[in-house]
Amino acid sequence: SDGRKLLDGDAVGESYAASYAAGDVVGVGVHVARGELFFTKNGVHLGTASRHVAPSPPAVPPPWATANGATPTAPPAYFALAALHSRGRRARINFGAQPFRFDVDALVRDERERISAAISAVPLRVVAAAATAAAA
């Protein structure tokens, strides 16, 4: 690849990352909670490629989702696809039978830390002080 991403049939695309060469390990990931698609090259996250991935609905639909006979929507289906543009090209595909080059566990840890930091940043003292004043 020349390191460009194609969007909605755009034949030219836009710059995304450095080009790939023979021997590179290219990965693709979906951050479902954020609705993001990303690629990796030789284990290095290349940044968000798209923010238009449909988020997955909860495993158990909320009560309002089935109220009045409504049918909850099915979770989005994702399908892997690899396109090779020249005759004689080969690729090995790994759906998890071998360890991934990209450290998915580190991504999950970083996300947990980010969420924990955001929760910790909520000024609970102000809420507690207001509750104490209201009780007095």
Side-chain angles (χ1 to χ4, degrees):
S1 167
D2 62 1
R4 301 181 73 74
K5 62 180 179 178
L6 302 179
L7 301 171
D8 297 325
D10 179 7
V12 177
E14 63 184 61
S15 182
Y16 171 65
S19 61
Y20 310 124
D24 282 340
V25 176
V26 178
V28 61
V30 176
H31 192 306
V32 177
R34 290 187 189 177
E36 295 177 349
L37 174 80
F38 65 90
F39 290 91
T40 64
K41 176 181 168 184
N42 299 322
V44 177
H45 193 291
L46 298 177
T48 300
S50 175
R51 289 186 168 80
H52 303 288
V53 177
S56 179
V60 177
W64 51 263
T66 55
N68 302 323
T71 303
T73 58
Y78 300 107
F79 301 94
L81 170 72
L84 304 176
H85 297 283
S86 299
R87 182 169 241 155
R89 297 283 181 146
R90 295 180 306 172
R92 284 183 287 167
I93 310 293
N94 176 16
F95 291 106
Q98 302 293 321
F100 293 121
R101 180 78 51 99
F102 177 69
D103 190 350
V104 177
D105 293 332
L107 178 71
V108 171
R109 275 192 310 275
D110 291 347
E111 185 70 5
R112 284 184 180 148
E113 289 172 9
R114 185 189 68 77
I115 292 169
S116 180
I119 291 170
S120 296
V122 174
L124 297 178
R125 287 185 211 103
V126 173
V127 173
T132 303

